[in-house]
Amino acid sequence: WISAFCEILGKKESGISGAKKSISFVVMLMLIIMAGLRDGVGRDFLSYQFHYELIHSDVIAISNESLEVGYSILNYISPSFRFVILFMAIFSIYLRYRSFEPLSCRNMIFLPLLFYYASDFLFYDMGVIRQGIAMSLCFFSIRYIIKRDAKFFVYILIASLFHCSAI
């Protein structure tokens, strides 16, 4: 929060400096490590681990009523549940990082990171990962709304494969 406060009070730059980009990239990597290497943490961890085991033991089909198809396929093709968690953390956090870059207000990077960490990260990336993936894809699609590009609908469709709330 100190970095975000200094960024607000500091002089206004014409662009985001290389140092800020490097620091924000390191912060992104730390968030990926925290979310991707968690064990038993989050509202979804045990239930999704159970679903992973059911899919791999062929007790439930890839297309089932309890999980969206995209998440079920990811479970099916993954070599381990640890890989599922790590992949989803990388995908979700990286997409949000890329989403916030062009949308950052007044060339700030730490303030959006602070808001992200204080709200979305702790709940979605450490708690309910399917919604975290869907939300990341929705955030990323904002750039296509601004451009009035139909790719927006493609991203929303893909997001809905992980959680119906994307619609």
Side-chain angles (χ1 to χ4, degrees), residues 29-137:
L29 287 178
M30 289 178 8
L31 293 174
I32 287 172
I33 289 169
M34 272 178 37
L37 299 180
R38 66 190 167 111
D39 188 25
V41 175
R43 295 179 47 197
D44 62 354
F45 194 88
L46 296 176
S47 64
Y48 286 163
Q49 186 174 26
F50 182 67
H51 277 99
Y52 174 85
E53 292 166 4
L54 290 177
I55 288 172
H56 275 268
S57 62
D58 294 327
V59 173
I60 61 173
I62 291 175
S63 177
N64 60 69
E65 295 176 4
S66 56
L67 295 173
E68 284 81 359
V69 175
Y71 185 73
S72 292
I73 290 171
L74 179 62
N75 276 288
Y76 185 74
I77 63 173
S78 295
S80 69
F81 181 66
R82 172 72 44 216
F83 179 83
V84 172
I85 297 292
L86 184 59
F87 174 80
M88 292 188 77
I90 291 168
F91 188 74
S92 179
I93 293 168
Y94 178 73
L95 265 183
R96 288 197 205 153
Y97 173 79
R98 292 295 311 259
S99 299
F100 292 154
E101 274 182 332
L103 302 174
S104 62
C105 53
R106 295 190 317 183
N107 302 314
M108 292 189 216
I109 228 150
F110 296 114
L111 189 61
L113 276 173
L114 173 68
F115 285 128
Y116 168 62
Y117 179 75
S119 59
D120 291 347
F121 176 75
L122 293 175
F123 186 72
Y124 292 102
D125 294 316
M126 293 292 283
V128 286
I129 54 179
R130 288 184 308 136
Q131 278 185 299
I133 287 284
M135 185 185 301
S136 295
L137 286 161

